[in-house]
């Protein structure tokens, strides 16, 4: 009986200690997270590295919105920031990258609501100078093995 009484005392003491600790944390000015806070979070998706190891790609994907693609040169820290873009692919020679560009979320949702087609673009970028070429109504992209050609499937 005495062991049971001691177990209850320890449990009650532990619960009180936890409540005091939580109250002191809340009073330190730190806000407790709510479901609305999750909308501002991003996650990294689509990370890749070029065949020659000189470029990396990754996209930040927010919980509510469009991806932002980053193409970063490892040696010089040169970076291309590409809003509404994802799915990067590097050419085998490491001189080019191709990626898909989506409509902004609000525009995409408006078209979907109106039952109109939602299209994507493919873009090709010269990694050394940033020059871009755009291909409308694209579904997929790929480079030839020798990096001479870009295939855009519509």
């Amino acid at each position: 009986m005495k062991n049971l009484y001691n177990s209850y005392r320890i449990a009650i003491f532990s619960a009180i200690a936890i409540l005091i600790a939580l109250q002191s944390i809340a009073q330190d000015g730190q806000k407790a997270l709510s479901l609305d806070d999750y909308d501002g979070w991003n996650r990294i998706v689509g990370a890749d590295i070029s065949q020659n190891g000189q470029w990396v790609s990754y996209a930040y994907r927010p919980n509510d919105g469009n991806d932002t693609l980053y193409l970063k040169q490892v040696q010089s820290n040169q970076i291309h920031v590409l809003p509404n873009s994802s799915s990067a692919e590097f050419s085998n020679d490491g001189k080019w990258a191709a990626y898909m560009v989506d409509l902004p979320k609000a525009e995409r949702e408006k078209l979907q609501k109106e039952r109109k087609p939602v299209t994507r673009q493919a873009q090709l970028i010269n990694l050394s100078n940033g020059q871009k070429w755009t291909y409308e109504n694209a579904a997929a992209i790929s480079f030839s093995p020798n990096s001479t050609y870009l295939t855009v499937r519509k």
Side-chain angles (χ1 to χ4, degrees):
M1 187 74 167
K2 196 171 191 176
N3 284 340
L4 184 60
Y5 176 72
N6 284 339
S7 295
Y8 284 128
R9 278 183 50 192
I10 292 171
I12 290 172
F13 177 75
S14 298
I16 291 171
I18 290 171
L19 287 174
I20 291 170
L22 289 175
Q23 184 180 9
S24 68
I25 289 171
Q27 290 176 350
D28 287 343
Q30 294 183 2
K31 177 185 162 194
L33 290 176
S34 69
L35 289 177
D36 294 332
D37 295 324
Y38 295 118
D39 288 342
W41 290 12
N42 291 315
R43 59 190 174 279
I44 297 174
V45 297
D48 195 13
I49 188 165
S50 64
Q51 289 274 16
N52 61 8
Q54 293 186 13
W55 287 89
V56 295
S57 70
Y58 56 93
Y60 281 160
R61 177 170 291 162
N63 286 332
D64 189 27
N66 291 76
D67 291 359
T68 300
L69 180 65
Y70 295 85
L71 303 174
K72 183 178 186 310
Q73 187 178 40
V74 177
Q75 298 283 331
S76 71
N77 290 326
Q78 177 186 3
I79 192 163
H80 300 283
V81 180
L82 307 159
N84 302 321
S85 301
S86 61
S87 306
E89 183 176 323
F90 292 107
S91 62
N92 286 339
D93 63 7
K95 295 179 180 179
W96 304 91
Y99 51 92
M100 301 302 295
V101 180
D102 293 308
L103 293 172
K105 182 182 178 192
E107 191 175 337
R108 186 176 65 241
E109 288 175 346
K110 180 182 176 207
L111 288 172
Q112 289 171 336
K113 187 176 179 182
E114 295 171 355
R115 299 181 189 263
K116 293 183 179 177
V118 178
T119 61
R120 299 175 83 191
Q121 296 175 331
Q123 282 193 339
L124 174 68
I125 186 169
N126 181 326
L127 293 170
S128 64
N129 63 20
Q131 186 176 4
K132 298 176 193 170
W133 291 265
T134 302
Y135 305 92
E136 299 293 332
N137 301 320
I141 51 175
S142 63
F143 283 100
S144 64
N146 62 1
S147 305
T148 306
Y149 301 102
L150 172 69
T151 302
V152 179
R153 188 178 60 136
K154 295 195 174 212

